[in-house]
Amino acid sequence: MLAYTARSRLSHRACITTESSAGTLSKAKRLIHECWSNHSICTKFALHPLRSAPLPTRLIDCSNPSRPRIVQMGPDAKGVYVTLSYVWGGPQSHRTCRANLASYIDGINPIGLPQTIRDAIYVTHVLGFRLLWIDSLCIVQDWPEDLQRELGRMRYIYRHAFLTIDAAGAASVNDGFLHDKAFLTQCGVQLSHPRLGTQSRAWCLQETLMSCRSLVFTTSTVQFWCRTGSQNVDDVYSLDHTDLMLQDRPSLPDIVLKPTLQSRGHPIKRLDVYYAWRRMLTYYTDRILSHSADKLVACAGLAEDFGRILGSEYLAGLWRKSLLYDLLWRVSYISPGHINPCRPSPYRAPSWSWASVDGCVSWDQSHLSGFVTTEPLADVIECSVTLQDKKLPFGRVTDGSLFLRASLLPCEFLRPIARCCREGWTQNGQQRKIGYGVAL
């Protein structure tokens, strides 16, 4: 059983203090095999039988970790491969470019690779896999056509992979993720580090959600996650913030993960799909983007998959069929990711879109039931966006407009106490009315 209680993991047993030990990875290997052999849920949502998944254009051959090399796959090549999810954290001097591609095919000197990539090659080899996909090495970074083609396939690359190695505890590619560490103190649970690594990055969310199973290296534990459940590989309890985030990680609806269910008559509960979309956006907007302009781009692949199920036009992060309810997003003044909400410059999205702000957004999901049962108080007269590239309907926008017809209602504007105190708008610790307006 994969779901362990906190009490069962709170023990003063001897802990394995290095994830690179043969014992730790041997236990992980057994869990991976158990998942593939015995988990009916995971087997049900596998897109392909074992060894028949389509292979990416390029992969890293890890059969000799002291001399890894890039191998180019044919268009119809099939097999088993592993992916790496990690944070770049700066320029990638080791990246594949047109000038070094031929030499990388002959072999790569590991000394020239950053620690996270070296660790991933080692783990892939010890777990018994040969092929590994890493974006900085398997995409030719100075070849625009290759970049565009491969980046467009990334979510499928992670979805078809047998396993994702998640360097959740590494803040950059240079940090590595195989470290000696004590998981428990003698007197009890050890509280650890703030959230970092892949769990803090917006681009990494689709990698997490699309992976069918993951081996997650946090700052204090190694965890195995699959569609059936999750477990600390070493059966130790941790209150590392990254670990807590993993316990509540979002998941995609079955119909999104396996589109063939739709053609087989699998019932589509669209309210559940809308709910999952909004919950996913709350996780997504709580994460960090190195480039603010990527707000819509970094979730475009997920949006396309949801759009295929919802059958609705995408309008800068909102869906036309549920537009009035999608407009009810709100921003936390201080999000768990410590992002202060603001509207960035230059222009990124129309003001009515959640993509126009930096900060964690959420919806009151109780409104969702009204999507079917409640008569709306407004009508959408017109809503449109101008795409930067018409071939990318889920990508960047350069303009947007929205016209509604509705009755005017009195509205009181309130400021949260944390904001009001700084600006002198609070009396006796209570929120104070500061004006009137109208709301639709």
Side-chain angles (χ1 to χ4, degrees):
M1 179 175 172
L2 286 179
Y4 282 80
T5 63
R7 184 176 180 180
S8 70
R9 289 185 288 185
L10 279 170
S11 61
H12 294 283
R13 58 191 287 266
C15 300
I16 297 174
T17 58
T18 171
E19 298 109 338
S20 59
S21 68
T24 302
L25 293 179
S26 177
K27 289 183 178 182
K29 190 174 182 178
R30 287 199 298 271
L31 287 174
I32 295 167
H33 182 266
E34 178 188 347
C35 171
W36 175 255
S37 302
N38 301 322
H39 290 175
S40 58
I41 294 176
C42 297
T43 303
K44 175 183 177 182
F45 290 100
L47 291 180
H48 307 278
L50 186 63
R51 305 190 185 283
S52 65
L55 296 179
T57 305
R58 301 176 196 86
L59 288 161
I60 303 164
D61 185 344
C62 303
S63 54
N64 179 8
S66 63
R67 191 68 174 175
R69 65 188 185 91
I70 289 179
V71 290
Q72 303 209 93
M73 300 296 167
D76 299 320
K78 295 183 178 0
V80 177
Y81 66 96
V82 176
T83 53
L84 173 66
S85 179
Y86 69 109
V87 175
W88 280 28
Q92 308 293 290
S93 59
H94 65 282
R95 71 193 186 282
T96 297
C97 53
R98 282 179 280 196
N100 63 17
L101 177 59
S103 64
Y104 277 9
I105 291 175
D106 290 337
I108 305 172
N109 186 347
I111 295 177
L113 297 175
Q115 192 61 50
T116 292
I117 291 181
R118 289 158 65 181
D119 287 350
I121 291 171
Y122 170 80
V123 170
T124 300
H125 177 74
V126 172
L127 290 178
F129 298 99
R130 173 183 166 233
L131 299 174
L132 171 66
W133 189 89
I134 302 176
D135 56 358
S136 61
L137 288 175
C138 296
I139 302 176
V140 182
Q141 301 292 322
D142 63 348
W143 186 0
E145 293 82 1
D146 195 67
L147 266 172
Q148 182 177 1
R149 180 182 63 251
E150 298 302 308
L151 290 176
R153 296 174 177 172
M154 270 187 66
R155 70 186 188 281
Y156 300 116
I157 291 174
Y158 283 90
R159 183 66 183 95
H160 294 311
F162 187 82
L163 174 75
T164 292
I165 298 170
D166 189 339
S172 82
V173 70
N174 297 310
D175 291 353
F177 56 85
L178 298 178
H179 304 294
D180 292 343
K181 53 182 75 113
F183 297 118
L184 293 179
T185 62
Q186 289 297 320
C187 58
V189 180
Q190 177 181 345
L191 298 178
S192 189
H193 311 284
R195 182 169 56 127
L196 44 77
T198 60
Q199 302 304 303
S200 68
R201 295 289 176 171
W203 272 105
C204 294
L205 183 61
Q206 76 167 351
E207 300 167 8
T208 297
L209 295 179
M210 285 294 174
S211 300
C212 59
R213 57 184 68 84
S214 303
L215 190 61
V216 187
F217 294 82
T218 77
T219 52
S220 62
T221 62
V222 185
Q223 300 183 8
F224 176 71
W225 180 93
C226 65
R227 293 284 292 178
T228 301
S230 62
Q231 178 182 330
N232 282 358
V233 172
D234 294 307
D235 195 19
V236 280
Y237 185 64
S238 168
L239 285 184
D240 182 289
H241 188 71
T242 302
D243 297 344
L244 294 176
M245 289 296 296
L246 285 169
Q247 293 173 19
D248 191 37
R249 62 189 275 168
S251 59
L252 296 178
D254 297 342
I255 196 74
V256 174
L257 278 175
K258 194 165 186 177
T260 54
L261 292 174
Q262 189 173 9
S263 61
R264 295 175 186 172
H266 187 85
I268 300 174
K269 298 180 180 178
R270 281 190 168 78
L271 286 183
D272 292 343
V273 178
Y274 279 116
Y275 179 88
W277 166 256
R278 293 173 183 178
R279 185 167 182 262
M280 184 274 293
L281 284 180
T282 297
Y283 280 84
Y284 173 73
T285 55
D286 191 31
R287 294 176 173 229
I288 299 168
L289 277 168
S290 299
H291 303 287
S292 174
D294 288 343
K295 193 76 169 185
L296 288 169
V297 178
C299 68
L302 290 170
E304 183 176 350
D305 288 337
F306 272 90
R308 184 186 62 252
I309 305 304
L310 294 173
S312 181
E313 183 183 356
Y314 192 64
L315 301 164
L318 286 67
W319 303 103
R320 185 175 293 281
K321 288 184 178 180
S322 59
L323 185 58
L324 290 176
Y325 297 94
D326 289 353
L327 289 169
L328 299 177
W329 57 270
R330 60 191 178 193
V331 182
S332 304
Y333 278 94
I334 300 177
S335 72
H338 305 292
I339 304 171
N340 294 321
C342 63
R343 294 194 189 277
S345 180
Y347 179 91
R348 191 171 68 194
S351 60
W352 41 265
S353 168
W354 55 264
S356 67
V357 299
D358 287 330
C360 181
V361 304
S362 62
W363 284 260
D364 181 353
Q365 295 287 15
S366 64
H367 290 302
L368 195 55
S369 59
F371 179 53
V372 174
T373 62
T374 305
E375 186 70 23
L377 297 178
D379 295 316
V380 179
I381 304 302
E382 180 184 340
C383 184
S384 63
V385 296
T386 303
L387 297 170
Q388 186 179 83
D389 185 342
K390 292 183 179 180
K391 297 178 181 178
L392 302 173
F394 301 93
R396 292 188 177 98
V397 300
T398 59
D399 192 17
S401 62
L402 172 65
F403 294 92
L404 300 179
R405 177 171 53 226
S407 302
L408 297 181
L409 301 173
C411 174
E412 291 184 347
F413 291 95
L414 300 177
R415 295 294 181 102
I417 291 176
R419 181 78 170 255
C420 296
C421 289
R422 293 197 300 269
E423 302 180 13
W425 291 331
T426 302
Q427 275 186 331
N428 301 323
Q430 302 295 319
Q431 291 183 339
R432 178 182 175 190
K433 180 178 66 178
I434 63 170
Y436 290 93
V438 294
L440 296 178

